[in-house]
Amino acid sequence: MGEFDLIRRYFMRPAMDLANGVEVGVGDDCAVLVPTPGARWLVSSDMLVEGRHFLSTVDPARLGHKALAVNLSDLAACGATPRGFTLALALPRVDEAWLAGFSRGLLALADAHRCPLIGGDTTQGPLNICITVFGEAPAGAALLRSGARVGDAIWVSGRLGDARLALEVFRGTLALDAGGFEAARAAMESPTPRLSLGQALRGIATAAIDVSDGLLGDLGHILAASGVGARLDVDALPRSALLAAQPAALQRECLLAGGDDYELVFTAPAAARLPDVGVELTRIGVIELERGLRVVDAQGAAVAHGLRSFDHFKA
Ligand code: ADP
Ligand code: MG
């Protein structure tokens, strides 16, 4: 199968393209999108590299899902509505079973969020997946990292830390029973981008970010961009029953520095009414004038953790 047959078979879906303001999708030199009057484009890229972000043994449908999910999560963090995405793919060889699974997982998530695949690039090389997402938000409405104000409450969606549990099992440092491992693995391999939450937080949240590298570091980005500090209650952090059954030190590591969670962390005035979009929201701390991040327990006592977030060039 040649390059163009491959693209046509696995990545070209013209009927859907037309459904979402896409005049020209896959197949020409450029895609042509119709902007919503008054809206702003929000654009983000995330790359997944084999051996770095995923194992060669991962189910291809889950990999397709995750490759788009981590990108949609960035749109969610900014309160954007997805409009389309491009896919740059390097493949070692044409493996039709792999391509079928990958495109199925990828396009199922795309369909669920009405975010059509509008173009890309395909080349031979070490397995590498780079997606760029295009979204929109009304002018001035995008949620940024820089808006947190002293006295704002800090909130997080969903639960943190399960993806890190799966990583520890893959590393051989933790044993879970089969059911526990499958749950943790699903959290790692099939994250849910919180798009409806992000959009519902427009005009309510003062700052937001998605947790990809670990809560401490990602919340730290909000604090740095906003020029404020915070107190974070580690005992308040929402966790699954699976994580709650682990030793306390491991729980804290997974919650504070786990990464790959793709939940939203956001700040909002303490009296703000938060939207109910069917996603659990937990209040985990408060923005303070004093710079830095103070981690405390339920009694308010300082917690020494010595943890830091994931950094590709320091890890
Ligand atoms: P060009 O040579 O003009 O850059 P290509 O030959 O690389 O175009 O691609 C042909 C068409 O297929 C283009 O519309 C491009 O956007 C699309 N395309 C290529 N690879 C992918 C892919 N992996 N997923 C979706 N569309 C793709
Ligand atoms: Mg061209």
Side-chain angles (χ1 to χ4, degrees), residues 21-237:
V22 179
E23 282 186 353
V24 178
V26 172
D28 214 305
D29 291 308
C30 290
V32 180
L33 305 186
V34 186
T36 301
R40 297 292 179 263
W41 288 114
L42 287 90
V43 181
S44 182
S45 293
D46 257 310
M47 183 158 64
L48 264 60
V49 177
E50 179 173 3
R52 193 74 198 170
H53 301 95
F54 61 90
L55 303 168
S56 57
T57 50
V58 67
D59 170 44
R62 283 192 170 184
L63 184 61
H65 171 100
K66 182 165 179 176
L68 181 57
V70 302
N71 277 278
L72 291 175
S73 180
D74 284 315
L75 290 184
C78 289
T81 304
R83 293 293 313 277
F85 72 104
T86 60
L87 168 68
L89 193 59
L91 297 170
R93 72 198 80 82
V94 176
D95 175 342
E96 292 216 48
W98 189 92
L99 278 162
F102 178 81
S103 65
R104 178 162 39 80
L106 178 84
L107 297 176
L109 185 64
D111 285 358
H113 293 289
R114 306 195 55 219
C115 182
L117 177 56
I118 57 172
D121 198 23
T122 307
T123 164
Q124 198 271 330
L127 184 56
N128 189 322
I129 304 156
C130 183
I131 286 179
T132 299
V133 281
F134 300 81
E136 283 186 337
L143 304 177
L144 304 177
R145 298 176 178 185
S146 51
R149 295 292 170 260
V150 174
D152 282 356
I154 306 170
W155 296 83
V156 68
S157 66
R159 290 156 184 212
L160 299 172
D162 279 359
R164 175 60 175 271
L165 280 183
L167 183 63
E168 296 296 332
V169 174
F170 281 117
R171 283 174 171 167
T173 56
L174 177 70
L176 294 174
D177 64 29
F181 176 54
E182 191 39 54
R185 185 178 188 170
M188 181 172 86
E189 295 177 347
S190 296
T192 303
R194 301 299 191 189
L195 283 156
S196 51
L197 175 62
Q199 289 161 39
L201 288 171
R202 289 178 192 158
I204 297 171
T206 50
I209 193 168
D210 64 321
V211 184
S212 53
D213 296 331
L215 177 63
L216 289 180
D218 290 322
L219 177 56
H221 293 313
I222 287 184
L223 303 182
S226 301
V228 294
R231 187 156 41 90
L232 181 71
D233 177 357
V234 69
D235 290 331
L237 296 175

Side-chain angles (χ1 to χ4, degrees), residues 270-288:
R273 269 175 57 103
L274 297 181
D276 181 1
V277 295
V279 178
E280 180 181 336
L281 299 177
T282 307
R283 189 171 173 152
I284 60 171
V286 63
I287 297 294
E288 297 178 334

